[in-house]
Amino acid sequence: MLFMAEMEVRLPADMPAGEADEIKAREKAYSQELQRDGRWRHIWRVAGRYANVSIFDVGSVDELHDLLSGLPLFPYMDIRVTALAGHPSAIAEGPNAPENREKERGS
Ligand SMILES: O=C(O)CC1=CCC(=O)O1
């Protein structure tokens, strides 16, 4: 199941820089582990904001929630999640992607 998550980070202005740096370092390691195992497919910075748009590929909504709530920055983020479905015109993803059409034909 694919989901888009839009994350806005709001660290308290009075958080000591060392503490913020430590949380950001843990956040980076956590997200890179999930990128390596394939569940965090994309992460893009939203230009001009301390925010990102990410694409997750997970087995369930509960798994996504566990993954997001485990983010070290979770207490300091607003996260909006949108479920994604395959688009019939897509050539790179979804049911009409060439690799999926080949699977359907059994070749
Ligand atoms: O900087 C961000 O957008 C917050 C974040 C999420 C994963 C990560 O490494 O940073």
Side-chain angles (χ1 to χ4, degrees):
M1 302 169 76
L2 289 171
F3 295 92
M4 174 180 69
E6 298 168 89
M7 307 182 205
E8 189 96 37
V9 184
R10 293 204 183 87
L11 288 172
D14 61 355
M15 179 181 278
E19 188 181 341
D21 288 347
E22 186 269 330
I23 297 171
K24 288 178 201 174
R26 284 194 289 119
E27 181 87 3
K28 183 174 184 175
Y30 182 92
S31 88
Q32 290 187 339
E33 190 180 323
L34 290 164
Q35 288 173 63
R36 283 191 199 96
D37 80 17
R39 287 184 289 170
W40 196 323
R41 288 250 210 117
H42 294 272
I43 179 167
W44 295 96
R45 174 65 73 217
V46 178
R49 286 170 30 206
Y50 191 5
N52 74 73
V53 172
S54 292
I55 303 294
F56 291 92
D57 189 353
V58 291
S60 67
V61 177
D62 286 340
E63 182 181 352
L64 180 68
H65 181 74
D66 287 348
L67 185 160
L68 293 175
S69 54
L71 287 164
L73 281 172
F74 183 75
Y76 310 105
M77 289 199 288
D78 285 331
I79 304 178
R80 265 191 307 181
V81 172
T82 305
L84 302 176
H87 194 289
S89 301
I91 58 170
E93 283 285 353
N96 274 351
E99 66 274 18
N100 292 333
R101 287 203 302 264
E102 278 167 24
K103 265 184 230 151
E104 272 174 29
R105 283 200 301 267
S107 54

